[in-house]
Amino acid sequence: PIQNLGADITNLTAIHVDRVLNDWRSVLIHQVHDSIMIDVHPEDTLEGERGLHFICREIIRRYSQPFCSLRLDVSFEVGERWG
């Protein structure tokens, strides 16, 4: 159940992030396991990181607390390339 909870939280987060990105120039391009990859437009970088961090924390708080008391972290990496 815990492993599925992580996958469910990642999927729910990707859905919410994709909705937010509709108003930005950035786009969600890939999701793997517990990671979401976003092609971030340079003008969206700082605001986007703050906003996405908030969204991810809220999704984790909302959906994991009833099932799990573990602390789940959110982290971001920004770079010129991925891979």
Side-chain angles (χ1 to χ4, degrees), residues 9 12 16 54-67:
I9 289 171
L12 288 167
H16 287 276
F54 175 78
I55 291 167
C56 294
R57 279 195 333 255
E58 280 301 300
I59 295 297
I60 289 170
R61 184 188 62 76
R62 193 178 309 161
Y63 292 103
S64 70
Q65 283 184 348
F67 308 104

Side-chain angles (χ1 to χ4, degrees), residues 5-6 8-18 20-21 24 28 30-31 34-38 47-65 70-77:
L5 178 63
D8 291 344
I9 289 171
T10 302
N11 288 334
L12 288 167
T13 303
I15 290 167
H16 287 276
V17 165
D18 191 49
V20 168
L21 292 177
W24 298 356
L28 191 149
H30 196 56
Q31 177 186 340
D34 62 348
S35 299
I36 299 170
M37 189 175 300
I38 301 168
E47 179 185 334
E49 186 173 339
R50 288 181 190 150
L52 294 174
H53 195 266
F54 175 78
I55 291 167
C56 294
R57 279 195 333 255
E58 280 301 300
I59 295 297
I60 289 170
R61 184 188 62 76
R62 193 178 309 161
Y63 292 103
S64 70
Q65 283 184 348
L70 297 175
R71 181 171 177 250
L72 303 175
D73 289 328
V74 175
S75 63
F76 286 85
E77 293 180 30

